[in-house]
Amino acid sequence: MNNKTILLVEDNPDDEELTLLALRESNILNEIVVARDGVEALDYLFGTGKYAGRDVKRMPQVILLDLKLPKLDGLEVLRRLRSDPRTALIPVVILTSSSEEEDIIASYRSGANSYVRKPVEFHRFADAARQLGLYWLLLNETAPYSA
Amino acid sequence: MRLAPILNRIRAISTAASPAALDAQERRSLTLFVLIFVALIGGTVVAAYASYVNYERQFRAQVERQLTAIIELKVGELTSWRAERLADAEVLRQNSAFAELARRFLDDPRDLQAEQRLREWLDSLYRAYRYDRVYLLDGAGVERLAVPQTGELAPSHLAPDAMTALASGEVVFLDFHQKPDERTIHLALLAPLYAGQDRRQPVGVVVLSIDPEISLYPYLQRWPTSSATAETLLVRREGEQVLFLSPLRFRPDAALHLRIPLQNTDVLAVKAVLGQRGIVEGLDYRGRPVIGAVQAIPDSPWFLVARMDTAEAYGPLRQRLRETVAFFGVLVAATGAGLGMLWRRQRLHYYRRQVEAAHALRASEERFRSVVNSMNDIVYTLDREQRHTGVYGPWVARNGLTPEFFLGKSARDLFGAEAATVHEEANRRALAGEYVIYDWSASSTDGTRYFQTSLSPLHDATGAIVGIVGVGREVTERRRQEQELLAAQAELQRLLADADRSRRVLLSVIEDQRAAEGALRENNRRLLILHQVGLALAQTHDLPTIYRIAREHVLQLVDCPCFGISLYDPATRTLRAEYMISDGIVLDSQRFPPLVFAEDLPLRGRARALLAQQPEIVTDMLAGPSAEAVVVGVPGDERAPRSALYMPMVVHGQTIGLLELQSYREDAYAETDLALLAPLANQVGLAIENARLFKQLQAERNSLAQRVAERTAQLEVANRELEAFSYSVSHDLRAPLRAMEGFSSALLSRYREQLDDQGRHYLERIQNAAQRMGQLINDLLDLSRVTRRELVRQSVDLSALAQEIAAELRARDPQRQVRFVIAQPLCVEGDASLLRIALQNLLENAWKFSVHRKVACIEVGQTTPDELRASPAGVPHVVADSRAPIYFVRDNGVGFDMAYADKLFAPFQRLHGMNEFPGSGIGLAIVQRIISRHGGVIWPYAQMEHGATFYFTLGEAS
């Protein structure tokens, strides 16, 4: 499609594979970077740790963020993204199993752009993934990079 | 008539002030007045003169200051004016460029450019310094160029002067002069011009002509103040004359015309020329006396005179003199008039006094005569031998006597030797010069008569005592009245004494009454103390406070330096000291060993008070120290208590302890004290008992509260665990399910061809199971959410909710025929969203289980316990006594067997097969939770195939 990157933050390998599968089945061919925990996600975005030296001018088009993560949970990752000018404007979609009201409210309050509960049924999950790709990669205009 | 000399004497004194003496006094007075007048006038004149001289000095100084200031100003201005003009000319003289230009023009008159530039130059000079005319003369003194331009070229009348200037090489200041053919006066400056390398070649002369009418005279004539005669004038000496250079105020044509010979040395201008400076007085050119200031203008032949007429200068001074003279004249006249009036007034007053004195004397004589004749007294005179020389007064005639009867007789002759003693004695004292008053009496046929006589010595003109004047008066009547008065006084005295006695009796009665009142008041005070102690004790459950209150009040009732409270435990027959205070110091009650009362202890002291419940008074503790009377006080203290009072505290018939009172006095406590102390002791006892109960109660309450807190904490822990569990269910349990479902789905779609039917069937079963598990998890979460959610009570319309849900159900299944009967309004208090969930579940169930009915009917309504009781449904005992409204949801569906009714509300319990009616069996569990969270109950009534009804209440609040 194009060279826009998607950052998927997901610790569960099953869910990771299913998400990738769902995205591929939806014909989303963009590069998908996977971070397995919150720290790794931040490392990727800010070019630190194992991603030291990465060209941080290339930011993902959208971040798919799970809430329940080792080390640094999804909400904390989100807060740090929003408090840094380099990442404050990147669209973040919360992609999680939880449908708890508190989680939804906390996510939006911390600056999430969208909240999607992963359905148990794969075909619905694939549907959701397709819609996500369609919206965030094709329709949505991101804010120009300004660091 | 021996009175005549006295009168004569008086007359002599009063006439001593007439004519001759009067004249002398008047003269003295007049002289005094004249002296005062002269002194006043002298003082006034001196003051006036001093004031005028002072004023004159100041005024003169002022005039001189003014003149000096003016002349200095003008001299300064004239000097600088001259210097400026000379400087103008000097600048021109030294300007070689200008000289060169002049040479070019004079050499070649056709050099128009030089002419033009010269003209410009001269023109600028002319304009800048208000010269009358500026022109250029050639070496022959012929005028060649002028500004402003006039006529043709002509030799100037200044030619000789120009030659002089050219020869000398210096600027020449030409003083006031007149052209021979004109009347106008001019001054001029001649600046010689030289050209060439060494500036030795004479070229011509520039003349700066000045018209003093324009640039000098106005300036001289200016005077800074308004004045009728003042002016400044400029003069110079010409031979033996003074020449006036400026027009004069009173001789406008004086300039260069008026000359005054130097012999007239009175004239100010002459004085100036002859060398006087400063302020001078003299005559002016008109011969008028003037005052002025004179100065020479430096570096010039000029002298400046600033002058004004003396008449004007000293005009105000004369005016002042006239005013002063007038003022002091009036003052002197007024003083004279005032003194004159004063003199007249005094004379008048004096004469009036004389006349009044004469009148008064005459009146006095008349009065004497009439007084003597009208009074009852007898007036008489005695000579030095105490013989009567005269007797006056109507008394004599009234008693049938004549004055002659007395003449020459002494008292002894009249009254006899014995009775006369009192008179002779008095007469002797009077003759010695005393004024004597004495009383005497005489017996006669009509009883004793009383008299009072006063005697004065009688003096002759020399002041020697020549006899006595006596005035006698009968006082018999007065004396009688006096005696009556005395008797009355004695009677009054007696009555007063009687009254005093009565008063004393009354006082003693009052005192008795007062004592009785005091006793009553004391009683009241004590009762008040009892009342107060009751009030104070009722306000506390703190034992030390109770002890303190008890002591304070006991102290108000009786003497007790040592006070104690001990409590008795009947189980162990032990008395323990609880509170001990001695002389205001609280003692450690632990120091007093507990007393155990053995069965056989003699009933004495504390033991008797305790066991017999009788107050015990120990009158002398030293007499029999014993275990029963443990001494309260600091051990070793020589001040040991001498008497004690033990007062039992009885509560509900039980002695709970003792009030122990001890005093340093022997026999300090009486039976009467007991009447008050006994109720006080019981009040204290009651308070102590209450405090103990209260303490016990508090301990129990504390343990209860602790238990509640513990339970609450446990509950909170449980709630937190539940929440954590729910969260992990929500998040963690779904993930593996999603993996199962997702991968099996991927398998099914990607490897469909490699699988046979059986394999595909198994995969589908896995998928279905996973989906169902997902559904169960969601339901479970819903259930827990209902439990955990905070309840927000508000007014909710159940009818409206039911209508909305019904509409949704119809929309979801439009082909079904269902009749909804919804009563309205159904207004309740509750949580709107929870009630919606409950109602939704109930209505969905009704909708679901009535699916086989051709026309289903679903009813939502309200009923009462009484209606229910009458119906086959009946009322469960939990709501039997409740008055809360009962709501219901009824359908005509398949119903169920009431035998399973108790399983209905358990989660995931189902009474129908999945194939028949789908569902997870969580709905009713949720409904029940919501109802019970509202404080209500829910119960069903159903029959197989005859529909089901769910009744519920929402707590007492609604």
Side-chain angles (χ1 to χ4, degrees):
Chain A
M1 224 184 310
N2 49 37
N3 60 355
K4 292 170 179 172
T5 320
I6 297 172
L7 175 62
L8 174 66
V9 191
E10 175 65 73
D11 66 315
N12 185 329
D14 288 345
D15 272 353
E16 177 196 330
E17 198 178 336
L18 279 174
T19 307
L20 294 178
L21 193 60
L23 290 171
R24 295 291 173 242
E25 290 216 337
S26 310
N27 289 326
I28 292 167
L29 303 173
N30 299 55
E31 185 192 345
I32 298 171
V33 178
V34 181
R36 265 89 189 173
D37 59 54
V39 175
E40 197 184 330
L42 292 178
D43 278 346
Y44 174 78
L45 287 169
F46 298 128
T48 51
K50 81 179 210 191
Y51 287 102
R54 191 186 79 82
D55 175 15
V56 295
K57 288 219 155 70
R58 268 198 83 216
M59 282 294 181
Q61 176 80 359
V62 63
I63 298 171
L64 304 178
L65 182 62
D66 192 7
L67 284 183
K68 209 162 173 232
L69 292 171
K71 296 188 191 171
L72 213 56
D73 73 18
L75 284 178
E76 187 54 36
V77 171
L78 181 55
R79 268 179 222 120
R80 297 215 186 163
L81 292 189
R82 286 303 177 237
S83 62
D84 191 298
R86 289 172 289 177
T87 52
L89 299 175
I90 300 177
V92 173
V93 177
I94 302 294
L95 196 63
T96 177
S97 306
S98 166
S99 57
E100 291 295 296
E101 236 173 63
E102 300 93 278
D103 281 342
I104 299 174
I105 292 168
S107 300
Y108 279 118
R109 194 160 280 160
S110 305
N113 299 78
S114 186
Y115 188 99
V116 176
R117 189 170 73 82
K118 293 183 236 173
V120 170
E121 296 90 338
F122 180 71
H123 67 96
R124 286 175 56 202
F125 188 25
D127 270 357
R130 192 168 55 249
Q131 282 167 24
L132 279 179
L134 198 64
Y135 180 73
W136 290 109
L137 298 176
L138 287 180
L139 297 179
N140 186 48
E141 287 291 331
T142 47
Y145 174 80
S146 59
Chain B
M1 294 287 283
R2 295 298 293 265
L3 205 61
I6 304 168
L7 296 176
N8 281 337
R9 195 170 155 72
I10 291 169
R11 201 168 289 131
I13 292 165
S14 64
T15 51
S18 44
L22 194 71
D23 284 347
Q25 197 182 2
E26 204 173 349
R27 258 203 308 281
R28 261 204 316 281
S29 173
L30 195 58
T31 315
L32 186 67
F33 270 95
V34 170
L35 275 178
I36 290 172
F37 185 60
V38 168
L40 274 177
I41 286 174
T44 308
V45 168
V46 168
Y49 180 72
S51 145
Y52 176 74
V53 166
N54 186 36
Y55 181 77
E56 186 190 17
R57 199 167 55 234
Q58 283 179 10
F59 188 81
R60 269 179 198 280
Q62 194 186 329
V63 169
E64 286 172 9
R65 262 201 312 278
Q66 190 186 344
L67 287 169
T68 309
I70 288 168
I71 199 156
E72 275 172 5
L73 180 73
K74 300 233 167 180
V75 166
E77 283 171 346
L78 272 178
T79 309
S80 57
W81 181 83
R82 269 181 74 98
E84 277 169 22
R85 298 291 77 76
L86 279 167
D88 283 354
E90 191 63 26
V91 164
L92 217 49
R93 184 182 75 82
Q94 290 177 2
N95 190 330
S96 53
F98 182 80
E100 188 56 36
L101 213 55
R103 188 189 61 74
R104 268 171 60 192
F105 171 68
L106 292 178
D107 287 355
D108 179 8
R110 285 163 305 175
D111 187 344
L112 290 179
Q113 189 199 3
E115 184 190 348
Q116 179 62 23
R117 287 197 53 202
L118 269 180
R119 197 176 285 285
E120 279 171 13
W121 213 311
L122 296 182
D123 192 53
S124 74
L125 257 173
Y126 163 74
R127 287 184 193 286
Y129 305 112
R130 297 179 65 205
Y131 290 110
D132 170 46
R133 200 156 163 263
V134 180
Y135 51 95
L136 178 66
L137 301 182
D138 61 14
V142 179
E143 194 174 320
R144 299 290 294 272
L145 191 64
V147 173
Q149 204 160 8
T150 53
E152 65 271 26
L153 304 178
S156 169
H157 67 284
L158 295 180
D161 297 307
M163 293 300 115
T164 317
L166 213 51
S168 69
E170 295 294 327
V171 170
V172 171
F173 193 111
L174 204 60
D175 207 354
F176 290 89
H177 60 271
Q178 245 171 340
K179 278 191 202 168
D181 52 342
E182 287 180 43
R183 304 240 352 122
T184 45
I185 298 168
H186 282 94
L187 289 89
L189 285 142
L190 281 65
L193 303 176
Y194 302 90
Q197 285 291 344
D198 48 0
R199 303 192 60 200
R200 286 182 178 282
Q201 183 191 343
V203 174
V205 174
V206 176
V207 180
L208 306 173
S209 173
I210 298 166
D211 182 357
E213 288 287 352
I214 295 170
S215 54
L216 202 56
Y217 291 158
Y219 183 60
L220 270 176
Q221 283 159 355
R222 232 168 24 228
W223 191 265
T225 58
S226 72
S227 164
T229 63
E231 67 182 333
T232 35
L233 45 101
L234 202 61
V235 298
R236 75 169 180 242
R237 180 176 179 165
E238 267 192 9
E240 288 304 301
Q241 287 181 321
V242 171
L243 175 61
F244 285 72
L245 298 176
S246 53
L248 299 173
R249 194 166 189 157
F250 303 102
R251 299 269 303 268
D253 59 341
L256 292 187
H257 289 100
L258 182 62
R259 291 166 196 273
I260 294 176
L262 289 185
Q263 286 89 335
N264 300 350
T265 49
D266 284 345
V267 177
L268 242 53
V270 175
K271 289 186 189 220
V273 170
L274 290 180
Q276 279 200 39
R277 298 290 175 262
I279 300 294
V280 287
E281 285 190 57
L283 301 173
D284 74 344
Y285 50 90
R286 293 171 298 167
R288 293 273 187 87
V290 290
I291 180 167
V294 293
Q295 282 291 348
I297 307 294
D299 305 323
S300 80
W302 299 344
F303 298 89
L304 193 65
V305 177
R307 52 150 286 275
M308 68 199 299
D309 286 6
T310 315
E312 187 195 349
Y314 294 144
L317 201 57
R318 289 209 189 86
Q319 176 66 20
R320 171 67 175 231
L321 182 62
R322 276 196 296 277
E323 280 169 10
T324 310
V325 168
F327 176 73
F328 283 100
V330 169
L331 198 66
V332 165
T335 312
L339 281 172
M341 268 171 65
L342 204 64
W343 165 249
R344 255 182 71 79
R345 268 178 67 94
Q346 214 192 9
R347 296 287 309 150
L348 220 61
H349 184 65
Y350 179 76
Y351 286 124
R352 194 176 295 136
R353 238 170 39 214
Q354 292 298 328
V355 171
E356 277 169 5
H359 277 303
L361 188 65
R362 239 190 332 271
S364 166
E365 265 178 61
E366 299 264 322
R367 214 177 301 127
F368 177 74
R369 258 187 252 283
S370 68
V371 162
V372 167
N373 285 333
S374 64
M375 67 187 183
N376 284 328
D377 298 355
I378 174 169
V379 179
Y380 60 93
T381 52
L382 302 177
D383 61 13
R384 286 199 66 86
E385 279 71 45
Q386 305 188 11
R387 285 189 302 259
H388 286 78
T389 50
V391 176
Y392 316 92
W395 180 86
V396 178
R398 214 182 295 140
N399 286 279
L401 299 168
T402 59
E404 286 72 28
F405 170 74
F406 293 98
L407 291 180
K409 287 182 180 157
S410 68
R412 191 181 288 256
D413 299 333
L414 290 171
F415 306 118
E418 194 185 343
T421 338
V422 62
H423 299 288
E424 287 170 350
E425 170 60 26
N427 288 343
R428 252 198 308 282
R429 281 166 57 199
L431 283 172
E434 264 184 75
Y435 177 75
V436 183
I437 293 181
Y438 68 99
D439 295 318
W440 54 283
S441 58
S443 298
S444 73
T445 47
D446 44 335
T448 309
R449 297 174 70 172
Y450 296 91
F451 301 87
Q452 189 178 58
T453 298
S454 57
L455 301 176
S456 316
L458 192 61
H459 300 269
D460 69 358
T462 63
I465 295 171
V466 294
I468 298 168
V469 179
V471 179
R473 171 177 297 176
E474 182 166 359
V475 292
T476 310
E477 182 60 19
R478 201 178 80 195
R479 202 179 165 92
R480 191 182 55 75
Q481 284 169 357
E482 273 175 8
Q483 268 162 1
E484 279 174 8
L485 194 66
L486 275 177
Q489 269 176 352
E491 177 64 14
L492 188 66
Q493 210 71 42
R494 195 185 55 75
L495 285 174
L496 278 178
D498 278 0
D500 196 43
R501 259 197 308 284
S502 309
R503 192 177 59 84
R504 267 190 227 124
V505 170
L506 197 63
L507 269 180
S508 79
V509 169
I510 288 171
E511 250 161 47
D512 285 355
Q513 182 140 8
R514 209 171 280 158
E517 272 173 18
L520 197 63
R521 212 174 298 129
E522 176 61 17
N523 263 345
N524 274 344
R525 188 180 74 86
R526 291 173 167 218
L527 284 174
L528 195 66
I529 289 166
L530 274 184
H531 175 64
Q532 280 169 348
V533 89
L535 280 183
L537 289 173
Q539 282 170 9
T540 180
H541 291 303
D542 178 45
L543 280 172
T545 311
I546 291 171
Y547 299 153
R548 191 176 46 72
I549 291 169
R551 173 176 174 262
E552 278 167 8
H553 288 83
V554 165
L555 216 53
Q556 289 179 44
L557 292 172
V558 294
D559 171 59
C560 76
C562 305
F563 175 83
I565 290 177
S566 47
L567 297 182
Y568 180 63
D569 179 7
T572 55
R573 295 180 70 93
T574 311
L575 183 72
R576 279 174 211 283
E578 277 289 314
Y579 178 73
M580 287 291 162
I581 181 162
S582 172
D583 296 310
I585 298 162
V586 178
L587 305 176
D588 178 12
S589 54
Q590 297 296 317
R591 254 193 8 219
F592 302 94
L595 293 178
V596 180
F597 296 96
E599 295 278 359
D600 52 348
L601 202 71
L603 277 184
R604 276 169 46 194
R606 286 187 174 86
R608 202 174 97 94
L610 258 182
L611 303 176
Q613 296 189 346
Q614 292 286 327
E616 177 76 359
I617 296 175
V618 182
T619 49
D620 188 357
M621 295 172 76
L622 297 184
S626 68
E628 305 90 80
V630 172
V631 172
V632 178
V634 182
D637 189 348
E638 48 197 34
R639 287 188 68 201
R642 303 291 289 276
S643 55
L645 171 60
Y646 302 114
M647 183 61 73
M649 297 184 284
V650 182
V651 179
H652 308 311
Q654 293 289 316
T655 310
I656 66 153
L658 294 180
L659 287 189
E660 305 188 1
L661 284 60
Q662 296 184 344
S663 170
Y664 296 121
R665 288 190 288 124
E666 250 175 66
D667 215 356
Y669 304 106
E671 290 290 333
T672 49
D673 295 331
L674 301 180
L676 277 168
L677 287 171
L680 191 144
N682 291 342
Q683 274 185 332
V684 173
L686 206 57
I688 290 171
E689 201 60 18
N690 276 345
R692 283 175 173 173
L693 283 174
F694 180 76
K695 216 167 165 182
Q696 210 175 330
L697 203 65
Q698 212 163 26
E700 279 170 15
R701 206 168 55 189
N702 286 346
S703 95
L704 207 61
Q706 199 182 346
R707 265 156 60 197
V708 169
E710 279 167 8
R711 292 283 161 82
T712 309
Q714 285 168 5
L715 202 61
E716 275 168 5
V717 169
N719 264 343
R720 271 200 299 279
E721 278 170 1
L722 184 62
E723 268 176 43
F725 174 71
S726 300
Y727 192 82
S728 92
V729 165
S730 168
H731 199 277
D732 297 339
L733 292 191
R734 273 196 189 129
L737 266 184
R738 202 164 39 245
M740 282 162 63
E741 214 279 340
F743 289 122
S744 61
S745 180
L747 192 60
L748 205 55
S749 63
R750 293 194 178 191
Y751 302 95
R752 178 169 279 273
E753 302 314 316
Q754 277 101 317
L755 292 170
D756 59 5
D757 285 350
Q758 192 69 22
R760 282 196 290 273
H761 173 71
Y762 291 151
L763 272 178
E764 275 161 12
R765 293 295 289 266
I766 291 173
Q767 277 191 304
N768 285 343
Q771 281 165 17
R772 176 147 177 76
M773 179 75 183
Q775 184 58 45
L776 284 175
I777 289 171
N778 283 347
D779 290 345
L780 204 57
L781 283 175
D782 285 345
L783 183 62
S784 92
R785 210 172 286 140
V786 161
T787 314
R788 285 178 291 142
R789 229 162 91 165
E790 201 184 340
L791 196 79
V792 183
R793 276 190 187 275
Q794 64 194 79
S795 189
V796 181
D797 182 359
L798 283 185
S799 305
L801 273 184
Q803 300 281 11
E804 278 174 34
I805 296 163
E808 283 172 24
L809 290 171
R810 280 216 173 94
R812 210 187 286 169
D813 243 343
Q815 74 280 14
R816 274 197 59 185
Q817 292 207 348
V818 179
R819 192 161 64 92
F820 279 98
V821 181
I822 297 170
Q824 56 190 352
L826 295 174
C827 286
V828 301
E829 287 283 313
D831 185 303
S833 58
L834 284 179
L835 286 176
R836 190 181 210 287
I837 291 170
L839 210 53
Q840 175 132 22
N841 274 296
L842 287 173
L843 286 172
E844 274 177 355
N845 279 352
W847 180 272
K848 187 164 67 182
F849 292 110
S850 61
V851 71
H852 301 310
R853 294 283 177 263
K854 209 165 182 185
V855 179
C857 179
I858 299 173
E859 212 180 325
V860 180
Q862 184 179 351
T863 180
T864 61
D866 293 338
E867 275 176 26
L868 263 189
R869 216 166 270 130
S871 76
V875 177
H877 73 274
V878 278
V879 290
D881 300 328
S882 167
R883 302 200 53 75
I886 297 168
Y887 307 94
F888 63 86
V889 176
R890 182 177 293 145
D891 65 67
N892 59 348
V894 294
F896 55 87
D897 187 347
M898 280 296 279
Y900 304 112
D902 55 338
K903 290 190 173 180
L904 217 48
F905 298 106
F908 307 117
Q909 283 289 342
R910 293 175 48 81
L911 297 185
H912 302 277
M914 266 306 246
N915 308 337
E916 205 176 355
F917 296 104
S920 61
I922 202 78
L924 283 176
I926 289 177
V927 172
Q928 195 202 28
R929 295 251 170 126
I930 290 174
I931 297 299
S932 77
R933 286 206 66 195
H934 279 82
V937 287
I938 183 165
W939 69 97
Y941 175 74
Q943 279 178 297
M944 289 295 282
E945 296 304 324
H946 282 95
T949 308
F950 286 89
Y951 296 98
F952 60 94
T953 63
L954 287 172
E956 300 292 330
S958 57

